[in-house]
Amino acid sequence: MVFLHILFVELKRLLVSKGTWLVMACSLCMPLLGYSFYTPASTATAFSAQMANPILAGGLGGAFCFSVFALIEYDRINKYQCEAVMDSIISPLIISFAKCLSILLIASLTWLAALCLYLPIMRAALGTAFILSETLLAFSVMMLPALWMGVLASAAFYQLFRRIDLSFISFTALALFSMSKWCSDLYLMRWASTDLLRLLKNLLLPEIVCWRFVPVHRS
């Protein structure tokens, strides 16, 4: 009961905070970068250009947005030097867990808003080739885990360093490592930028789904 009460209070506080809505707005703008600036998937197919790249950009950009947001929220107690008082009232583990879960819920709400915002845009761009189930799957495996990872990794790093700067540098290093060649064969490690073809094949999706995103080269 104590945990649920703290979770409700923390979630209510975040929802009335202007900073929360600013982070959500910035995260919702990130998929726009996938139409021109950030194009990790091949642009040779309409599905890659109009669906995969915007979703991947939204996941990566949103992960950094929520990383900064999580670090600021975790540092709030230390900033106002009330950590000792809070620890004497309630367990730091409960506070940390409630804070992390509330930020994860905000990230999930942002993902849902992005889905509702960009779903009509992608449907208009793809026309009759649009398939709702594929779009929902793409949002679920390419964007939502990245947002969650941004929160969880930053929270973990802050517990280790207790400093925003070192925690953000560590998160950035983790994200870059996720996109490096060393993780090219480990698609579960590529949370920051999913290897689209490998992911589709490992999910055992039909080959026609792969052809929608990856151009076929014939000799």
Side-chain angles (χ1 to χ4, degrees), residues 137-153:
L137 178 63
F139 268 97
S140 299
V141 301
M142 291 192 289
M143 184 175 182
L144 184 59
L147 299 181
W148 285 351
M149 188 63 180
V151 176
L152 293 174

Side-chain angles (χ1 to χ4, degrees), residues 82-102:
C82 56
E83 184 176 9
V85 177
M86 293 295 297
D87 291 349
S88 64
I89 298 175
I90 195 167
S91 170
L93 183 61
I94 295 178
I95 297 177
S96 179
F97 187 43
K99 188 181 295 292
C100 183
L101 186 56
S102 62

Side-chain angles (χ1 to χ4, degrees), residues 127-164:
T128 56
F130 176 83
I131 300 178
L132 179 60
S133 60
E134 291 182 3
T135 307
L136 294 176
L137 178 63
F139 268 97
S140 299
V141 301
M142 291 192 289
M143 184 175 182
L144 184 59
L147 299 181
W148 285 351
M149 188 63 180
V151 176
L152 293 174
S154 298
F157 284 130
Y158 186 82
Q159 296 298 325
L160 291 174
F161 302 115
R162 293 289 179 175
R163 288 181 55 180
I164 292 181

